[in-house]
């Protein structure tokens, strides 16, 4: 089996003795064109790009990502635009692996099989479906694998050890650890030390070194350097917030976000 | 073809993944898996616990005020000249609506779980008001999530919540109504699930919330079946139970005990909110054939666009203004046990006028939708047909809207 672009990205960052940097932006935020420009520019620093397909009843997202999602939807972004953005982005020689992230209803309405086919066609490498937890995702995850798409399982501080083992045995090459009990983008209410303590425990359960565990939720420029020992860090809300601020101040979100991601990278390098 | 099983409550007829046929389930973030599972385990234990049942019955009787009256609407019946129209006046329950049953049960469970805080969503403000009452009664701190639009249009209930010491959290996202309040409440619970109980205000949400709510509101039909037998000596040969349907908690509770009767004998009619006559928007996913989708953790018929974005609804009645509907009702529609229809804002207002003109009854805009259907069909039916409308809420909360629309 060929090694997936997601695994390759982790291998590369491990060689450089640093965690992989994963960014999250919402497709179509604030316009289709701008979001593509943002992706193209942050691709210089990020290792993997998570791209959100916006939903208007996001039950696990905090204010920043909600705002970004509503902005994109209001600007008329549709699922077909999301795929178009990925397709265009992937034409960039410097493009990074893409993980689409969103809510299950959007996938259902598109049609599971059709959705996965389209993902493969445009070059999506992974999927995170926020409201499709294990074991409900078993079949879908299998279908993803058949289409060479990594299905990213989520783990949370509330996940029991027994459950964790089962989830891990069903996981592909990347897992996502939710740092704390919160929606996306809340202030870190657990110390990085304690988050890493849990993280190490989970890594021990995972054993398999080919399975990468990233940390997300509450990670910002301020605290990212505390997570240097992890396989990867996800920054989302802070980026979405930067876009909001740029629009408010009539600045170019592309430059601002790009600078931010550059600085994030320097903090873990 | 899936059918209703006779030997089991409908709330228990889901598969191991929490689905009633194609509906329901648990589409929730990983963080909520454990709290939802814990709640399910606790609820299954408590419903078998005689002491807990005694406690529930004690508070239902002495605090909620059970049974609520079952009365014949003589004047309305005479005016319409067809079937007999009766009302189960659930609005006589403490607080003025059926939402008190679910709020009481959730608060009792929260106490047993050792939680100090309880949060809930509300549309018309009844679920919030009742939760604030129950929280106060049982010594829990309470936060209510409510759409900013609803806060404006249901002021009397907001005043009541504040008086009971609850904090109202206004929700400004999306359409600023019930759908957004439920989302925000779930988000809050994701962040605070270790210390806080969540009460979903209707038979919607992840599987266990549908079950607990349906189990709680079933008190309505438990009372009604006895009252009917006492009044008529037996279950009438032609009986129609009409109830408004938003999320579907009052209608489910109103029908539960009659589930296994032949539908030719006991017909269930659910009336959804058709919205303003001239508007394309509505809150009637069952009536207008909305597609199956996922909303607030459950698969259900839901108003949405082709992309899967949830659509905004429109209804004069805040309590029915919800784009989805309980998985239980989706199931009842698919197995054809219940019939669903819609009444427009105008029809509900007209029904309200007619009922209050002829009867000493003050149904809120939600049950006024049910009365609209009763008024429509009664004249065409025989005199030995019994129509019972669940008058599940009191119009006191609607006084501003009624004044504006009817000059009252």
């Amino acid at each position: 089996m060929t090694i997936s672009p997601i695994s390759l990205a982790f291998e590369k960052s491990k060689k450089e003795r640093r965690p992989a940097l994963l960014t999250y932006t919402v497709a179509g935020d604030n316009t289709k064109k701008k979001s593509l420009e943002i992706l193209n520019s942050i691709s210089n620093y990020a290792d993997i790009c998570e791209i959100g397909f916006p939903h208007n009843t996001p039950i696990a997202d905090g204010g920043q990502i909600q705002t970004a999602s509503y902005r994109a939807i209001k600007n008329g972004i549709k699922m077909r635009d999301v795929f178009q953005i990925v397709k265009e982005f992937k034409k960039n020689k410097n493009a990074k692996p893409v993980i689409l992230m969103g809510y299950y209803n959007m996938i259902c309405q598109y049609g599971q099989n059709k959705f996965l086919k389209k993902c493969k066609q445009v070059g999506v490498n992974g999927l995170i479906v926020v409201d499709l937890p294990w074991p409900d995702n078993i079949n879908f995850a299998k279908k993803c694998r058949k289409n060479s798409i990594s299905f990213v399982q989520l783990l949370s501080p509330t996940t029991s050890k027994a459950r964790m083992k089962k989830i891990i045995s069903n996981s592909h090459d990347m897992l996502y650890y939710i740092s704390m009990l919160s929606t996306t983008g809340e202030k870190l209410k657990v110390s990085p030390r304690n988050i890493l303590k849990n993280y190490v425990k989970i890594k021990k359960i995972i054993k398999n070194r080919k399975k990468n565990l990233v940390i997300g939720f509450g990670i910002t420029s301020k605290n990212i350097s505390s997570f240097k020992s992890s396989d990867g860090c996800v920054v989302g809300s802070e980026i979405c917030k930067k876009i909001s601020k740029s629009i408010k101040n009539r600045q170019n979100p592309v430059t601002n976000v790009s600078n931010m991601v550059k600085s994030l990278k320097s903090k873990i390098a | 073809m899936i059918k209703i099983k006779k030997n089991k409550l409908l709330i228990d007829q889901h598969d191991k993944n929490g689905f009633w046929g194609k509906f329901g389930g648990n589409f929730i973030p990983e963080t909520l898996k454990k709290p939802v599972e814990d709640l399910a385990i606790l609820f299954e234990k408590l419903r078998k616990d005689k002491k807990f049942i005694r406690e529930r019955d004690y508070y239902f009787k002495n605090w909620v005020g059970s049974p609520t009256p079952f009365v014949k609407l003589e004047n309305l019946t005479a005016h319409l000249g067809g079937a007999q129209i009766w009302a189960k006046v659930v609005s006589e329950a403490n607080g003025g609506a059926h939402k008190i049953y679910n709020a009481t049960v959730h608060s009792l469970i929260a106490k047993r779980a050792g939680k100090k805080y309880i949060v809930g969503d509300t549309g018309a403000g009844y679920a919030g008001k009742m939760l604030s009452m129950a929280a106060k009664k049982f010594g829990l701190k309470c936060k209510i999530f409510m759409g900013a639009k609803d806060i404006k249009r249901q002021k009397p209930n907001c005043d009541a919540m504040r008086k009971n010491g609850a904090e109202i959290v206004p929700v400004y996202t999306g359409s600023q109504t019930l759908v957004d309040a439920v989302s925000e409440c779930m988000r809050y619970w994701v962040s605070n699930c270790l210390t806080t109980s969540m009460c979903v205000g209707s038979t919607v949400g992840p599987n266990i919330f549908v079950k607990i709510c349906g189990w709680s509101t079933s008190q309505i039909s438990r009372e009604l079946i006895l009252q009917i037998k006492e009044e008529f000596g037996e279950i009438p040969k032609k009986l129609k139970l009409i109830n408004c349907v938003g999320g579907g908690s009052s209608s489910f509770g109103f029908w539960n005990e009659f589930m296994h009767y032949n539908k030719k004998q006991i017909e269930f009619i659910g009336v959804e909110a058709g919205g303003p006559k001239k508007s394309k928007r509505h809150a009637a996913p069952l009536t207008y054939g909305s597609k199956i989708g996922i909303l607030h953790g459950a698969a259900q018929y839901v108003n949405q666009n082709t992309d899967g974005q949830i659509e905004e609804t429109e209804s004069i009645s805040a309590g029915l203004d919800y784009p989805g509907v309980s998985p239980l009702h989706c199931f009842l529609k698919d197995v054809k046990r219940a019939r669903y229809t819609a009444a427009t804002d105008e029809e509900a207002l007209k029904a309200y006028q007619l009922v209050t003109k002829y009867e000493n009854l003050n149904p809120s805009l939600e049950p006024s939708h049910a009365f609209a259907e009763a008024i429509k069909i009664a004249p065409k039916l025989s005199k030995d047909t019994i129509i019972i409308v669940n008058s599940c809420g009191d119009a006191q909360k609607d006084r501003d809207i009624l004044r504006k629309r009817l000059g009252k």
Side-chain angles (χ1 to χ4, degrees), chain B residues 311-323:
Chain B
E311 284 194 327
E312 283 190 17
T313 51
E314 198 174 352
S315 167
I316 192 170
S317 143
L320 305 181
D321 208 351
Y322 187 70

Side-chain angles (χ1 to χ4, degrees), chain A residues 105-117:
Chain A
N105 193 42
M106 308 274 296
I107 297 173
C108 292
Q109 300 314 317
Y110 202 91
Q112 266 195 23
N113 296 330
K114 209 177 132 199
F115 185 92
L116 289 173
K117 210 175 131 195

Side-chain angles (χ1 to χ4, degrees), chain B residues 70-94:
Chain B
F70 173 55
V71 296
K72 185 172 182 189
L73 305 183
E74 301 271 4
N75 303 329
L76 189 65
T77 301
H79 170 73
L80 294 169
Q84 298 178 37
I85 303 184
W86 293 67
K88 171 76 174 153
V89 193
V90 173
S91 60
E92 286 290 311
N94 192 7

